[in-house]
Coordinates of all heavy atoms in Angstrom, one line a residue:
L898 N 12.7 -10.7 12.2 CA 13.3 -11.6 11.2 C 13.3 -10.9 9.8 O 14.2 -11.0 9.0 CB 12.6 -12.9 11.2 CG 12.8 -13.8 12.4 CD1 11.9 -15.1 12.4 CD2 14.3 -14.2 12.5
F899 N 12.1 -10.3 9.5 CA 12.0 -9.6 8.2 C 13.1 -8.5 8.1 O 13.7 -8.4 7.0 CB 10.6 -9.0 8.1 CG 10.4 -8.2 6.8 CD1 10.1 -8.7 5.6 CD2 10.6 -6.8 6.9 CE1 9.9 -7.9 4.5 CE2 10.4 -6.0 5.8 CZ 10.1 -6.5 4.6
C900 N 13.2 -7.7 9.1 CA 14.2 -6.6 9.1 C 15.6 -7.1 9.0 O 16.4 -6.6 8.2 CB 14.0 -5.8 10.4 SG 12.5 -4.8 10.4
K901 N 15.9 -8.2 9.7 CA 17.3 -8.7 9.6 C 17.6 -9.2 8.2 O 18.7 -9.2 7.8 CB 17.4 -9.9 10.6 CG 17.5 -9.4 12.1 CD 17.7 -10.6 13.0 CE 17.8 -10.1 14.5 NZ 18.0 -11.2 15.4
A902 N 16.5 -9.7 7.5 CA 16.8 -10.2 6.1 C 16.8 -9.1 5.1 O 17.3 -9.3 4.0 CB 15.6 -11.2 5.8
H903 N 16.3 -7.9 5.4 CA 16.2 -6.8 4.4 C 16.9 -5.5 4.8 O 16.9 -4.6 4.0 CB 14.7 -6.5 4.2 CG 14.0 -7.7 3.5 ND1 13.4 -8.7 4.3 CD2 13.7 -8.0 2.2 CE1 12.8 -9.5 3.5 NE2 13.0 -9.2 2.2
M904 N 17.6 -5.5 5.9 CA 18.2 -4.3 6.4 C 19.7 -4.5 6.8 O 19.9 -5.6 7.4 CB 17.5 -3.6 7.5 CG 16.1 -3.1 7.2 SD 15.4 -2.3 8.7 CE 13.8 -1.8 8.1
P905 N 20.6 -3.6 6.7 CA 21.9 -3.7 7.4 C 21.7 -3.9 8.9 O 20.7 -3.3 9.5 CB 22.6 -2.4 7.1 CG 21.9 -1.9 5.8 CD 20.5 -2.3 5.9
Y906 N 22.5 -4.7 9.5 CA 22.2 -5.0 10.9 C 22.1 -3.8 11.8 O 21.3 -3.8 12.8 CB 23.4 -6.0 11.4 CG 24.7 -5.3 11.8 CD1 24.9 -4.8 13.1 CD2 25.6 -5.1 10.8 CE1 26.1 -4.2 13.4 CE2 26.8 -4.5 11.1 CZ 27.1 -4.0 12.4 OH 28.2 -3.4 12.7
Q907 N 22.9 -2.7 11.6 CA 22.9 -1.6 12.5 C 21.6 -0.8 12.3 O 21.3 0.1 13.2 CB 24.1 -0.7 12.3 CG 24.1 0.1 11.0 CD 24.9 -0.7 9.9 OE1 24.9 -1.9 9.9 NE2 25.7 0.0 9.1
L908 N 20.8 -1.0 11.2 CA 19.6 -0.3 11.0 C 18.3 -1.1 11.4 O 17.2 -0.5 11.4 CB 19.5 0.1 9.6 CG 20.6 1.0 9.0 CD1 20.3 1.4 7.6 CD2 20.7 2.3 9.8
V909 N 18.5 -2.3 11.8 CA 17.4 -3.1 12.3 C 16.9 -2.4 13.6 O 17.7 -2.2 14.5 CB 17.8 -4.6 12.6 CG1 16.7 -5.3 13.3 CG2 18.2 -5.3 11.3
P910 N 15.6 -2.1 13.7 CA 15.2 -1.4 15.0 C 15.6 -2.1 16.2 O 15.4 -3.3 16.3 CB 13.7 -1.3 14.8 CG 13.5 -1.3 13.3 CD 14.6 -2.2 12.8
R911 N 16.1 -1.3 17.2 CA 16.4 -1.9 18.5 C 15.2 -2.2 19.2 O 15.1 -3.2 20.0 CB 17.3 -0.9 19.3 CG 17.8 -1.5 20.6 CD 18.6 -0.4 21.3 NE 17.8 0.7 21.8 CZ 18.3 1.8 22.4 NH1 19.6 1.9 22.6 NH2 17.5 2.7 22.8
E912 N 14.1 -1.4 19.0 CA 12.8 -1.6 19.7 C 11.7 -1.5 18.7 O 11.7 -0.7 17.8 CB 12.6 -0.5 20.8 CG 13.7 -0.5 21.9 CD 13.4 0.7 22.8 OE1 12.4 0.6 23.6 OE2 14.1 1.7 22.7
F913 N 10.7 -2.4 18.9 CA 9.5 -2.3 18.2 C 8.4 -1.9 19.2 O 8.1 -2.7 20.1 CB 9.1 -3.6 17.5 CG 10.0 -3.9 16.3 CD1 11.1 -4.8 16.5 CD2 9.8 -3.4 15.1 CE1 11.9 -5.1 15.5 CE2 10.7 -3.7 14.0 CZ 11.7 -4.6 14.2
V914 N 7.7 -0.8 19.0 CA 6.6 -0.4 19.9 C 5.3 -0.6 19.2 O 5.1 0.1 18.2 CB 6.8 1.1 20.4 CG1 5.7 1.5 21.4 CG2 8.2 1.3 21.0
I915 N 4.6 -1.5 19.6 CA 3.3 -1.9 18.9 C 2.2 -1.0 19.5 O 1.9 -1.0 20.7 CB 3.0 -3.3 19.1 CG1 4.1 -4.2 18.5 CG2 1.6 -3.7 18.4 CD1 3.9 -5.7 18.7
V916 N 1.6 -0.2 18.6 CA 0.5 0.8 19.1 C -0.7 0.6 18.2 O -0.7 0.0 17.1 CB 1.0 2.2 18.9 CG1 2.2 2.5 19.9 CG2 1.5 2.5 17.5
D917 N -1.8 1.1 18.8 CA -3.1 1.0 18.1 C -3.2 2.0 16.9 O -3.9 1.7 15.9 CB -4.3 1.2 19.0 CG -4.4 0.1 20.0 OD1 -4.0 -1.1 19.7 OD2 -4.9 0.3 21.1
S918 N -2.5 3.1 17.1 CA -2.5 4.1 16.1 C -1.3 5.1 16.3 O -0.8 5.1 17.4 CB -3.8 4.9 16.1 OG -4.0 5.6 17.3
L919 N -0.9 5.8 15.2 CA 0.1 6.8 15.4 C -0.5 8.1 15.6 O -1.6 8.4 15.1 CB 0.9 6.8 14.1 CG 1.7 5.6 13.7 CD1 2.4 5.8 12.3 CD2 2.7 5.2 14.7

Side-chain angles (χ1 to χ4, degrees):
L898 289 173
F899 173 86
C900 291
K901 287 180 178 179
H903 294 87
M904 294 180 180
Y906 77 92
Q907 68 267 36
L908 299 181
V909 173
R911 184 180 70 184
E912 299 176 78
F913 291 97
V914 184
I915 300 173
V916 294
D917 293 331
S918 62
L919 298 176

